[in-house]
Amino acid sequence: MDRPASLWIMSAYRSESHASWARWLEREAMECNLNFRMFELPGRYFRWRIRGNPLSWLAEVQEALTTEVPDHILATSMVDISTLKGVHPSLAHVPVTLYFHENQFAYPVGEGQHSSIDPQMVQLYGALSANECWFNSSYNRDSFLQGMDALLRKMPDHVPDNIVERIADKCRIVPVPVDPLERRQGASSRPLILWNHRWEYDKRPDRFLELLDRLESDGVEFELALLGPRAQKVPKALLDIRSKHASRIIADGMVPRAEYEALLRSARVVISTADHEFQGLAMIEAVSAGASPVVPDALCYREQYPEQHRYPSGDMSAAAALVKQALDACEQVNQGEVDISDWTSDKTAPIWRAFLQDKAQPQSTAE
C-alpha cells in the first residue's frame, strides 16, 4: 500500500536570504502537491539560535512526530541536525539534505563578538550526519572544506583521518533560485549608484562611504539608492552618507517591491564592498535588471562576474581600484549586458523542482 511522502523543511535562522529560499520552496512544494512541514526560527540571536534550535523546536517537533515521521529532512546548515536526531530518536534514520547558505569557517567575526568554535562544530557534525551537503556556490563549499581541514589540524589528538574527504564526496553546488527581473530597455540615462545589501559589518558600508566621498571629491555626478535591510540602530556609515550626500539620495530604506524593482532597473551601477558573500542574491537581482556590477575579486563573485567588473581586494591598492572601477562604471553609459543566467531560477529552479518532485513520490508501506 502506498502512502503520501513527507518532507520536513527546517530553517533555524530566518534572515532575508533564508526567508527568500523558504518562500520559494514552499510555493513550489505546494505546486507539486508535496506533503511538507515547515519549521522556522527568527533570524536573531545568532549564537543562541545555531546552538539552541533543538531546544527551541523541542515541543514542536515532538508534537509533529505524534502524527508522522518524515521521509526526508531538508535543513539549513544553521540547524543542529546531529543533536536534533539525538534528542528525537524517531528521526535517527531519516535521510537529510543539509543546505549551506553560508558556513561558519568563512564568516567574519564582527567587532565586539567573541570567537568560538561552537558554530563551526555544529556545521561539522551536521555535515557528517547528513546524507547530502548542498552549497549555494563553489566558494562556499571550498571555504567550508578548507576551514574544516584547518580546524581539524589544530585538534590535539584522536582526530579520525579522511573527515574532509568523506564530506567532500557528498557535496553538490545548487544555488538558491533567484527570479530574474525584467531588464530595462536600453542603457540607464543617469548615473544612479545602488546599494541593496544589509547594512551590517560584514558588508562593509564604511568602505562604501569612503567610495562615495572619493567620487564626490573627484567631481563625479551621481545619485544614490540606499536600499537593503538595516538594524534598529542605524549604522554610523549610513548616518554619515545621509549627512554628506543628502542631495544625491533618491531612495533610503525598505521600499515596496514594485518600487524596489523599478530602482534596480534604473540603476547604472550596483556596488558590493563585502567581506563576506556566499551567493549574493541582491547583486544577482540588480544585475539581472541591467545594473553594472562592481564587486571584489574574491568570495563568490569570481564565479559570477567577468574580470572587468571585479576590483582587487585585500591589499593596499584595493580602495583606489574600487574607486576607479566605480568611476568607469558611472561614466560608461552602456557597459554591455552581464550574463547572470547560471545564477537565476532559469537554471537553478529545475534542480530544486526535481528534488521536490522526487520527495513527493508515494512511499510503500507494509500491509
Side-chain angles (χ1 to χ4, degrees):
M1 180 181 296
D2 289 342
R3 61 170 177 80
S6 172
L7 172 70
W8 283 8
I9 302 172
M10 310 190 80
S11 179
Y13 197 82
R14 188 184 168 88
S15 62
E16 283 292 312
S17 61
H18 295 219
S20 173
W21 172 80
R23 286 193 300 267
W24 191 94
L25 282 175
E26 187 170 18
R27 184 181 72 234
E28 295 294 327
M30 293 175 67
E31 288 188 7
C32 68
N33 296 315
L34 173 60
N35 176 30
F36 72 97
R37 187 186 294 259
M38 185 75 71
F39 295 81
E40 289 184 293
L41 292 169
R44 56 177 182 260
Y45 310 129
F46 164 76
R47 291 192 176 275
W48 161 241
R49 196 66 78 228
I50 195 170
R51 205 66 185 89
N53 56 81
L55 277 177
S56 299
W57 275 328
L58 185 65
E60 188 177 356
V61 169
Q62 284 177 337
E63 182 180 357
L65 286 170
T66 62
T67 59
E68 67 174 13
V69 175
D71 296 292
H72 199 93
I73 294 173
L74 171 60
T76 69
S77 61
M78 287 285 293
V79 176
D80 188 353
I81 196 68
S82 56
T83 299
L84 199 71
K85 284 190 166 196
V87 172
H88 304 282
S90 300
L91 299 177
H93 299 292
V94 176
V96 172
T97 298
L98 195 64
Y99 191 62
F100 286 77
H101 292 269
E102 46 72 39
N103 78 78
Q104 290 303 307
F105 293 95
Y107 211 107
V109 177
E111 185 178 349
Q113 295 181 343
H114 69 279
S115 181
S116 165
I117 68 168
D118 266 6
Q120 296 173 350
M121 295 302 293
V122 166
Q123 294 190 334
L124 191 159
Y125 285 133
L128 278 172
S129 62
N131 299 76
E132 298 178 297
C133 298
W134 288 16
F135 292 80
N136 58 359
S137 67
S138 296
Y139 165 72
N140 193 359
R141 176 200 60 195
D142 295 347
S143 59
F144 175 72
L145 295 175
Q146 292 162 6
M148 184 168 50
D149 183 56
L151 175 65
L152 292 173
R153 290 177 185 275
K154 295 177 184 177
M155 298 295 101
D157 60 11
H158 291 280
V159 178
D161 294 332
N162 303 319
I163 293 294
V164 175
E165 291 78 6
R166 283 173 56 184
I167 293 174
D169 286 343
K170 51 186 173 181
C171 291
R172 184 181 180 188
I173 309 303
V174 186
V176 172
V178 180
D179 292 330
L181 301 184
E182 181 183 351
R183 184 175 287 268
R184 65 165 176 263
Q185 300 301 309
S188 174
S189 60
R190 58 183 182 174
L192 173 60
I193 295 176
L194 172 70
W195 170 283
N196 59 338
H197 317 282
R198 287 182 289 107
W199 289 84
E200 294 185 21
Y201 71 93
D202 57 307
K203 304 302 184 184
R204 296 303 301 264
D206 56 313
R207 288 184 188 150
F208 183 57
L209 169 62
E210 291 174 8
L211 166 65
L212 299 179
D213 289 348
R214 287 283 300 273
L215 291 176
E216 182 180 49
S217 67
D218 290 345
V220 180
E221 292 296 328
F222 62 90
E223 294 178 322
L224 284 172
L226 307 177
L227 307 178
R230 64 245 358 223
Q232 189 172 10
K233 182 180 179 181
V234 180
K236 183 178 185 303
L238 179 55
L239 291 173
D240 288 345
I241 291 171
R242 287 171 173 169
S243 172
K244 295 179 178 181
H245 302 282
S247 63
R248 304 177 186 275
I249 298 172
I250 66 168
D252 183 4
M254 299 291 283
V255 298
R257 182 67 190 183
E259 184 180 346
Y260 176 79
E261 293 183 8
L263 286 165
L264 265 57
R265 279 189 287 271
S266 298
R268 186 179 296 177
V269 185
V270 58
I271 304 281
S272 171
T273 52
D275 276 342
H276 137 252
E277 199 68 85
F278 294 105
Q279 184 178 345
L281 307 188
M283 287 292 302
I284 293 170
E285 274 195 328
V287 175
S288 78
S292 180
V294 173
V295 299
D297 184 22
L299 313 172
C300 64
Y301 298 130
R302 289 176 176 165
E303 304 166 57
Q304 298 171 326
Y305 304 110
E307 184 178 358
Q308 64 267 29
H309 293 277
R310 307 193 306 261
Y311 60 90
S313 62
D315 58 30
M316 295 298 290
S317 64
L322 169 57
V323 172
K324 183 181 185 305
Q325 195 88 4
L327 179 59
D328 290 347
C330 283
E331 292 183 341
Q332 295 182 34
V333 175
N334 191 354
Q335 285 200 312
E337 187 173 314
V338 177
D339 182 8
I340 201 70
S341 60
D342 284 346
W343 297 86
T344 64
S345 55
D346 295 339
K347 295 283 182 69
T348 58
I351 303 172
W352 285 102
R353 290 192 184 108
F355 171 86
L356 293 173
Q357 289 164 1
D358 177 65
K359 304 312 171 194
Q361 296 302 311
Q363 302 294 299
S364 297
T365 58
E367 295 189 19

